[in-house]
Structures are given as C-alpha cells and as structure tokens.
Amino acid sequence: MSKETLTITDNRTGQTYEIPVNNDTIQAIDLRQIKVSEGDFGMMSYDPAYSNTASCKSTITFIDGDKGILLYRGYPIEQLAKRSNYLEVAYLLLYGELPSKSKYDKWVHDITHHTFIHENIKKFMDGFRYDAHPMGMLLGTVGALSTFYPEAKEIFDTRLREIQLHRLIAKLPTIAAFSYRRTVGQPYVYPDNDLSYTGNFLNMMFKMTELKYKPDPVIEKAIDVLFMLHADHEQNCSTSAMRSVGSSLPDPFSATAAAIAALYGPLHGGANEAVLNMLQQIESKDKIPEYIKRAKEGEFRLMGFGHRVYKSYDPRAKIVKQIAHEVFEVTGKNPLLDIALELERIVLEDEYFVKRKLYPNVDFYSGLIYQSMGLPTSMFTVLFAIARTAGWLAQWKEMLQDEERKISRPRQIYVGPEKRDYIPIDERA
Ligand code: CMC
C-alpha cells in the first residue's frame, strides 16, 4: 500500500526527511525541520503570488481550471445560472445549503428590509468630489459603515454577525446606485422594497419622474445572472484580501472595504472596464491584428483574456456570451460586439495565446452587456463588487469559524543590506 508521505533528501547535508501528505499537499511548516546547522532558521517555501500555496481549507467554491468547472457548494454554475437567483445563491454560499421555502422567504425579507442607508451616509457621500470614481466612493463608504454600526466589531456574536451580513448584502446596491447618481448629478433614489434585488438596483440607478419604476424583465434577469456568476471565485485577490484583513479580526465593513480595494485593480475586477476601453481603442475590426501584435510583443495585455486558474474557456464567460445575445435583443446590438467576437476568434487561433492557454474570462463580455444597458464603464467594477459581497462574506465567516485560523502573516526572504552603522549626513558620500 502506498504511504501518504513525501521523502525529501537535502543534498546539502545528505539528510532525509519524511513529511506527511494530506489532500495532495504538504504543510509548509513541515519544511522548517530541514536545517543545515543547529542555529539555522530552517527551510521555507517561496511563492510570491501564492500560485501554488493553499492558504486555507474551504467548503465553498470548487474550480477545476483545466476542465473549466465551477461549483458553488457542489452545484454547477450552469445549473444555478439557469434555475436559481442571486439571493438564493448568496444564501447557499453563506449557509452551505439551498434554503427551504420558508428560509428563503425570511432571507429575502431580511435583505429587503436592510436596503435603506442612514441619512448621514448620504451626507458622507456628498463630500466626495464631483468627479470621484464610483468604485472609490463605494470603497470609502463601505469602510465608513463601520462607524455607523460600532456593534459590528462583535464578530463572534452570532446574532450581531448575521445582522452585519444582511446589512452588507442589502446596502451595497444602494451605496453603488447612490455613487452613480452622484457622478451624474441626479437626485438619489430610495430603495423600492416591492422590487427584486436587481429590480430595485435598476430602480435606484435609473428611476426619473415616474411614480413607480418598472424594470425590464430581460435586463433584470440578465443582471441577476451576472451577479450569480460573480458571487464567489474561491481564493482570488479580493477574497484573499478579505480573509487576510479579516484575520486580524476587524468588523466586516472594514474587511469588505479592503476586498473592494483589491477588486478595483485592472488585473482583477477592474478588467471589465479595461476591456471596454480596449475595444473602443481598437476602433474597427481591421485594426485587431496590429493590436494583437503589440500585445504579443509585451506592450500591454489583452484585457479580458487569461486567468490564474482557468487554463481553458472560463465557464462563466460562456454563460455571459449567451446572455449578451438576449440583452442585445432588447437594447439593440452593442457596436463593439463585432470587434469583440473577431478579437476572440483570432486569439483562439493564435499560437501565442493557444500555447499560454489564454481564453476569454468572465470580464470579456460582461462590460459589453453593461454598456448596452446604459451603465457607464466606471460602474462595471461596482456591479462586480455588489455580486462578490456574498462570496467575501461567506469566506470571511468560514475563516472566523476555522479552528486553524491565525492572523495572516507571511514570511519573506530578506535580500537587503547587512547590518551597518548610521552615517551622519555631512559625512555621506
Ligand atoms: N494578454 C497577453 N498576454 C498575457 C495575458 C493577456 N491578457 N495574460 C497572460 N499573458 C501572458 C504573460 O505575458 C505570460 O507570458 P510569458 O510566459 O511569455 O511571460 C503568460 O501569459 C502567463 O502570464 P502570467 O502573468 O504568469 O499569468 P497570471 O496567472 O499571473 O495572470 C491574469 C493572470 C488574469 C492577471 C492575466 O492573465 C492578465 O493580466 N489578464 C488580463 C487582465 C484580466 O482580464 N483580468 C481579469 C481576470 S478574471 C476576473 C477577475 O479575476 O477579476
């Protein structure tokens, strides 16, 4: 019978070590016994972008990047996108099982009745400059929520923790929509609790003088599906930020603000905005080959292509491409779609991209959909943040309940100068 261990021979000393293997993984701390001498600190593993380091055990999301599989709590994303809705998926991520009818109704009621924000938060948002990016406003305002709910720091009080989860999932669309209205100089629209989660979001974004806003069902459903697709993606950059910041045990508003900051960057959630800018820059199909050539020469990256985990077609991108056609039936075709389709066609046949397994990711088509719905590019990542809040909170909760939890504190390999004496300024060369 095979042994679940790894034998390592240190050729510097000739010594052999036997290290346990669990889940195909060794514990990095087991390497510390490997020493050259008694006073030696011991061996570490070096993994600057954590590309081969598991930072936690999790029961939430499973990804098989080679096969293009994504499961939330075991359920395939394709089935959820077709048959579930965002709030049900949020419940599934947070509590591990699909809710019964009564639990679902209570959950929807709880979220719906936390959608309003304190009037002072509106005033707080008024303090941002007229041209502030909505993502910056979201980041600042979510952080500020911790000052409105000081009891949120009681993170091990189950009841109080639940209330903060409800508040975050419920208030994110309100803050997001307010940040948009502020950008365009329009009055804030209060939540309409008769509408669905995404219907109400559209109401707060687009309602003008009508007495009751009626969302277009195709658009409402499309955003709901996009929210499900973005709800969690295991240990990505922003989720790792959530867990890492959360490991020092601040309130969830502060930790979520950190996750939003991580999402903001163009290599992560900012990519959908960057894709649109790229397609606009390309301008026409005939300019695609030249643009691809420049990307291959390393001048820039093709936004919306490649993924740290998926080395085949991102399963979310397939669903987004389908929704795009449904949305364009209502909104009219986005003129950039032809450029996007042609770009994808060429990339999928180009040896550079094939060799590196670079396929369209979730952000490649989502921006086109959002733009057709009348959303400005600056709001794209904000929508991603609304959706990902459920995943961040599920991962944060799991981290808090993990018996192996400790404050995040990576090691480093110091390569700076050795100890040296201070030189007074007039004696320096
Ligand atoms: N365009 C051109 N070349 C690329 C691209 C791209 N989009 N992505 C990776 N490469 C090349 C890269 O230059 C490298 O080539 P070489 O081996 O010759 O040096 C090789 O492919 C491997 O790249 P990497 O940087 O080691 O890959 P990574 O796993 O560190 O990066 C990524 C993953 C998503 C950051 C990267 O693919 C990228 O920058 N893509 C564009 C931004 C984007 O679309 N981000 C959204 C990701 S999905 C949603 C989300 O996470 O929020």
Side-chain angles (χ1 to χ4, degrees):
M1 209 182 97
S2 68
K3 244 171 131 189
E4 291 296 298
T5 61
L6 181 75
T7 301
I8 299 176
T9 302
D10 185 345
N11 293 322
R12 299 169 304 172
T13 59
Q15 233 184 305
T16 294
Y17 303 83
E18 194 170 338
I19 291 179
V21 174
N22 285 305
N23 301 310
D24 227 1
T25 305
I26 60 159
Q27 295 233 28
I29 197 73
D30 285 339
L31 299 174
R32 283 279 278 284
Q33 59 186 301
I34 304 176
K35 296 182 181 191
V36 175
S37 61
E38 206 28 60
D40 187 354
F41 178 76
M43 186 167 284
M44 295 192 299
S45 58
Y46 178 59
D47 190 4
Y50 307 119
S51 47
N52 197 37
T53 296
S55 62
C56 61
K57 290 178 187 149
S58 181
T59 59
I60 302 172
T61 291
F62 172 80
I63 301 175
D64 183 328
D66 291 325
K67 297 198 182 110
I69 294 173
L70 170 62
L71 312 176
Y72 291 162
R73 301 281 190 184
Y75 294 102
I77 190 66
E78 294 80 4
Q79 289 185 26
L80 293 168
K82 201 165 174 191
R83 305 176 63 183
S84 186
N85 64 61
Y86 176 70
L87 280 189
E88 186 176 66
V89 162
Y91 184 100
L92 172 69
L93 291 169
L94 279 158
Y95 304 106
E97 295 296 337
L98 289 168
S100 63
K101 173 84 175 78
S102 61
K103 282 189 176 155
Y104 174 76
D105 289 344
K106 181 172 181 327
W107 169 245
V108 173
H109 175 275
D110 287 346
I111 299 300
T112 307
H113 288 84
H114 280 99
T115 49
F116 275 71
I117 55 175
H118 194 291
E119 283 295 292
N120 283 356
I121 296 176
K122 257 174 45 184
K123 289 193 198 137
F124 176 88
M125 294 187 77
D126 284 340
F128 288 110
R129 275 179 65 93
Y130 69 97
D131 58 352
H133 194 288
M135 226 9 217
M137 287 195 256
L138 185 76
L139 159 58
T141 310
V142 169
L145 286 184
S146 78
T147 65
F148 286 83
Y149 306 111
E151 73 278 16
K153 64 178 185 300
E154 303 300 335
I155 54 176
F156 292 108
D157 179 314
T158 318
R159 193 186 65 84
L160 284 175
R161 190 169 65 209
E162 283 302 295
I163 296 174
Q164 315 319 323
L165 299 181
H166 296 161
R167 282 180 172 148
L168 270 160
I169 293 174
K171 292 182 201 309
L172 254 281
T174 315
I175 298 170
F178 281 21
S179 68
Y180 166 71
R181 302 287 291 207
R182 172 141 177 75
T183 315
V184 288
Q186 289 174 358
Y188 302 129
V189 175
Y190 285 100
D192 179 343
N193 292 349
D194 295 339
L195 297 173
S196 71
Y197 189 76
T198 43
N200 173 47
F201 176 59
L202 289 167
N203 158 65
M204 294 186 291
M205 289 285 293
F206 298 122
K207 183 170 184 283
M208 294 308 286
T209 53
E210 63 273 44
L211 282 181
K212 183 101 180 151
Y213 180 83
K214 286 202 191 78
D216 182 294
V218 175
I219 307 280
E220 184 182 6
K221 178 69 192 155
I223 295 198
D224 196 67
V225 174
L226 285 166
F227 278 8
M228 283 189 265
L229 300 182
H230 284 88
D232 194 53
H233 214 230
E234 50 118 311
Q235 308 313 314
N236 54 84
C237 179
S238 57
T239 303
S240 301
M242 181 85 189
R243 280 184 177 258
S244 186
V245 171
S247 76
S248 77
L249 309 183
D251 65 83
F253 300 107
S254 304
T256 304
I260 294 173
L263 189 74
Y264 199 173
L267 295 190
H268 190 8
N272 50 16
E273 184 176 343
V275 169
L276 246 281
N277 295 336
M278 174 186 79
L279 295 175
Q280 267 152 2
Q281 213 183 325
I282 294 176
E283 260 182 354
S284 58
K285 283 203 276 186
D286 56 307
K287 299 204 177 121
I288 294 174
E290 172 59 22
Y291 197 83
I292 291 183
K293 185 169 160 270
R294 287 167 63 200
K296 289 192 324 197
E297 284 166 2
E299 200 179 316
F300 44 72
R301 286 185 170 202
L302 278 193
M303 288 293 135
F305 286 90
H307 198 276
R308 171 60 61 77
V309 182
Y310 292 120
K311 300 301 168 197
S312 66
Y313 213 103
D314 181 337
R316 302 166 302 170
K318 274 190 202 148
I319 302 171
V320 178
K321 203 171 164 184
Q322 258 169 335
I323 309 171
H325 293 293
E326 288 162 29
V327 170
F328 297 155
E329 294 272 308
V330 177
T331 61
K333 197 173 88 179
N334 188 320
L336 295 173
L337 178 68
D338 287 339
I339 300 179
L341 287 169
E342 181 65 1
L343 183 64
E344 178 187 342
R345 190 191 64 75
I346 299 179
V347 163
L348 291 181
E349 287 173 1
D350 189 298
E351 202 211 325
Y352 173 98
F353 295 93
V354 172
K355 205 172 114 206
R356 290 169 180 77
K357 300 185 175 171
L358 300 169
Y359 292 83
N361 59 48
V362 68
D363 287 323
F364 188 61
Y365 285 104
S366 57
L368 286 175
I369 301 182
Y370 290 145
Q371 191 187 49
S372 306
M373 292 173 176
L375 290 159
T377 44
S378 59
M379 281 300 286
F380 295 176
T381 315
V382 172
L383 270 82
F384 192 160
I386 298 175
R388 187 53 62 84
T389 300
W392 289 331
L393 292 172
Q395 301 270 352
W396 171 75
K397 202 171 127 192
E398 184 179 68
M399 186 258 321
L400 290 181
Q401 291 167 339
D402 187 345
E403 283 170 6
E404 290 182 290
R405 169 180 51 78
K406 277 185 170 192
I407 187 166
S408 279
R409 201 333 185 160
R411 291 281 179 174
Q412 63 166 10
I413 300 172
Y414 178 70
V415 291
E418 295 199 357
K419 179 175 176 278
R420 49 186 172 166
D421 290 325
Y422 179 82
I423 306 165
I425 196 161
D426 48 0
E427 289 172 26
R428 285 174 217 160

